[in-house]
Amino acid sequence: MGTRKKVHAFVRVKPTDDFAHEMIKYGDDNKTIDIHFKKDTRRGVVNNQLTDWSFKLDGVLHDASQDLVYETVAKDVVSQALNGYNGTIMCYGQTGAGKTYTMTGATENYKHRGILPRVLQQVFKMIEERPTQAITVRVSYLEIYNESLFDLLSTLPYVGPSVTPMTIVESPQGVFIKGLSVHLTSQEEDAFSLLFEGETNRIIASHTMNKNSSRSHCIFTIYVEAHSRTLSDEKYITSKINLVDLAGSERLGKSRSEGRVLKEATYINKSLSFLEQAIIALGDQKRDHIPFRQCKLTHALKDSLGGNCNMVLVTNIYGEASQLEETLSSLRFASRMKLVTTEPAINEKYDAERMVKNLEKELALLKQELAIHDSLANRTLVNYDPMDEIQIAEINSQVRRYLEGTLDEIDIINLRQIQEVFNQFRVVLSQQEQEVESTLRRKYTLIDKNDFATISAVQKAGLVDDDGHLVGEPDGQGFGLGVAPFSTRPGKKSKSKKMFKEQLRPSTPPTKPVAFEDFKNERGSEINRIFKENKSILNERRKRASETTQRINAIKREIDMTKEALNFHKSLREKQGEYENKGLMIIDEEEFLLILKLKDLKKQYRTEYQDLQDLRAEIQYCQHLVDQCRHRLLMEFDIWYNESFFVPEDLQAALKPGGSIRPGMMPLSRIVSLGEDDQDRFSRLQQTMLPEGPDSVSFYNAKVKTEQKHNYLKTMMGLQQTHRK
């Protein structure tokens, strides 16, 4: 976790010709602002009215340019966001104090752009400076108007209006807005286009303090996700930057708002009051509960207020004497915000796909180390990979031969093989049970002794005696006969066969198992024959491989015994004293014969092992052929089954080569692009002649495109109304 830090709070004073120099004064450190009230003489001689306030903040921005405001307030927050830290920049103040100008600026003039466009520019500029990272940027634009949530980018043609209302949802990953569209932006111009699109959809109204007053709270969010281009690095970082433009507070008695503006002001003041309550609770270390859910604004900003992010507040105030009470209220809010502490932390996550690849590499290295260890321990045949079908079939064969008594013991190789041996014992037992039951059902009619209705019906037919025993049931001295099925009785063969053939053409298609048997005997007979031949060859190769494996194991055991005998002779020779003749070691005849035997055994081992490798290659190839034949057989059967029982006859004729139905598609060569018109040429020429330099191209280009789009929509709406008239 990161270290706790205070929220940074700045004050920006709106320039005015009527600045109250006697009432508002700045400290020499440019961080203190003092407010002085003149006493109200109407209160009489005894007057305890407080007249002086002093506020210590992180900076006072008086007559500051947009460039200076951004450098002071937002630049560090954006830089840390690219390193994985969340950030929030919020503008607060009364109506007309310059919040929207500080946050968005004047979109008509590049030099007067606000914090939000500059944040977008810095993000994409920093992305260009980080070639070792693959960084994606997404944006969303939320509006909270009269306690209702609206998506300011829902007017885009590929988004459309939401059917269900948006809701605020809390999850372990944080708070998010369900139903809010999030848009991927690959370049700066696309981000500006989304910003200008949202700005045109904001709700504004004429106000006594501001001709174009924002009547809603807006949150523009930038989501950043940075992956390393190094595939071995599975960590990646995520962050988001919330840029919050709050609606202005106002005193209803002073502004005298009416109608819709009065209703809007009521909702705005209520939500700002709840925001201040949440700030007071966050600043009080003894408070356990923070009232975030009192309104949509505080609920949506739950992660930003006291969360794991870098937070900056810009309080916009008037410098006029007539607005001193509202200025004092805004400064109190800023001082309370400074008491709030946050705990910024890097948002690190792990890429699951890269983790799997890295684990696979690590697994391969561990297998290599195990192979080296086994080689040093003279264990050359150990395989730690999951068993394939050939190995499982070999174990199944060993289990069957062990149960039949033709194999004395099963060689133990590793734990995985032991588990598979027990599993094959279970498989063989289950198959034997099914075979026994199938044999009994072919010869006899099996009746459940608890099925009293069936027993009663059989007794009436005279097939069971009064004691409940089948007629002819053995009494311990002879053999008994069960009830033979009707289809197997003598003299009924031709009739039953005829009935079966009639049942092959029912109104409903036959089951696939029944149809598959017919297919193998008729249309698929050739493929089935090839499949059986390949399977026979595969079984023969598996049998030879099993026999070779047994011989290899026997030779290996004999090699181990010979080595033990040689080691015994060597140790005995060392105890009795070694004899040399002309530098050569003298050994007895028995040890010499053991050495020759060991040499022959190793030669046999290598020969048999090579034969086993060749057989395994043949088995793998034969298995491939069997799988191909099986796939082909099943595929041909599906085609035959559908054509025979589901496709109508007239459609079958149309689907044949030369029929009337054939697939078609639009050729790519018919897709053409529209040429540029005069307006496009003018825009392109304007880009090359912009006086502010190349950095402003994306800004103006996005602005022009957004204006063209909305002018077109207005023109089309006007034409539609004209046609209706």
Side-chain angles (χ1 to χ4, degrees), residues 161-413:
S162 178
V163 179
T164 58
M166 291 189 295
T167 56
I168 302 174
V169 180
E170 293 189 33
S171 68
Q173 290 74 29
V175 176
F176 69 96
I177 311 300
K178 185 178 181 181
L180 179 65
S181 62
V182 181
H183 305 263
L184 178 66
T185 58
S186 57
Q187 55 186 355
E188 185 180 318
E189 184 179 325
D190 295 339
F192 280 136
S193 297
L194 293 171
L195 170 62
F196 295 144
E197 178 71 24
E199 286 296 315
T200 56
N201 296 326
R202 287 190 65 173
I203 296 176
I204 59 174
S206 179
H207 193 271
T208 56
M209 304 296 295
N210 187 1
K211 184 172 65 176
N212 296 314
S213 175
S214 300
R215 310 308 295 164
S216 61
H217 309 298
C218 291
I219 305 173
F220 189 93
T221 306
I222 304 171
Y223 308 88
V224 181
E225 186 173 307
H227 292 259
S228 173
R229 296 189 186 273
T230 305
L231 294 179
S232 60
D233 190 359
E234 58 203 26
K235 288 184 180 180
Y236 69 97
I237 57 175
T238 61
S239 62
K240 64 179 180 179
I241 308 172
N242 288 320
L243 302 163
V244 186
D245 182 12
L246 298 174
S249 60
E250 60 182 271
R251 293 180 181 270
L252 299 179
K254 182 183 291 188
S255 62
R256 297 179 181 178
S257 299
E258 297 178 351
R260 181 172 66 89
V261 178
L262 175 62
K263 180 181 178 182
E264 293 169 347
T266 304
Y267 275 106
I268 292 170
N269 287 345
K270 184 179 179 181
S271 60
L272 292 177
S273 175
F274 288 141
L275 174 63
E276 189 165 4
Q277 290 178 19
I279 296 301
I280 294 173
L282 286 167
D284 187 358
Q285 301 296 330
K286 298 179 181 179
R287 290 283 294 270
D288 295 330
H289 172 69
I290 310 299
F292 284 119
R293 297 193 179 188
Q294 291 189 111
C295 67
K296 300 288 179 62
L297 176 64
T298 55
H299 199 184
L301 295 176
K302 182 179 179 180
D303 289 343
S304 300
L305 301 172
N308 63 334
C309 73
N310 295 306
M311 185 168 183
V312 178
L313 173 71
V314 180
T315 303
N316 296 86
I317 63 172
Y318 276 97
E320 300 175 359
S322 58
Q323 307 296 330
L324 205 57
E325 291 183 359
E326 288 79 3
T327 297
L328 185 60
S329 176
S330 299
L331 290 173
R332 285 172 176 163
F333 180 86
S335 63
R336 288 169 181 151
M337 182 64 85
K338 272 189 65 64
L339 298 176
V340 178
T341 58
T342 62
E343 195 170 354
I346 298 178
N347 300 300
E348 283 186 342
K349 297 183 179 179
Y350 289 88
D351 191 331
E353 184 177 354
R354 290 190 179 184
M355 284 183 67
V356 170
K357 290 182 179 179
N358 292 339
L359 289 173
E360 288 176 349
K361 289 181 180 179
E362 187 176 355
L363 181 61
L365 290 174
L366 291 174
K367 286 183 178 180
Q368 292 177 3
E369 291 184 6
L370 280 173
I372 295 173
H373 175 74
D374 292 333
S375 178
L376 294 175
N378 202 18
R379 300 175 64 202
T380 56
L381 294 178
V382 180
N383 184 11
Y384 296 97
D385 292 330
M387 292 190 172
D388 54 17
E389 294 181 359
I390 298 175
Q391 293 172 327
I392 294 174
E394 173 61 26
I395 293 176
N396 183 276
S397 175
Q398 291 178 0
V399 169
R400 289 182 181 276
R401 285 184 282 120
Y402 179 80
L403 293 174
E404 292 170 358
T406 58
L407 183 64
D408 294 334
E409 60 182 16
I410 299 176
D411 294 328
I412 300 302
I413 299 175

Side-chain angles (χ1 to χ4, degrees), residues 392-393 395-397 399-400 403-404 420 423-439 442 535:
I392 294 174
I395 293 176
N396 183 276
S397 175
V399 169
R400 289 182 181 276
L403 293 174
E404 292 170 358
E420 188 59 37
N423 184 45
Q424 291 304 317
F425 269 112
R426 186 186 296 113
V427 171
V428 171
L429 178 61
S430 176
Q431 290 176 351
Q432 290 179 348
E433 290 178 350
Q434 292 176 2
E435 290 174 0
V436 170
E437 183 178 353
S438 177
T439 303
R442 281 198 305 270
K535 196 170 183 181

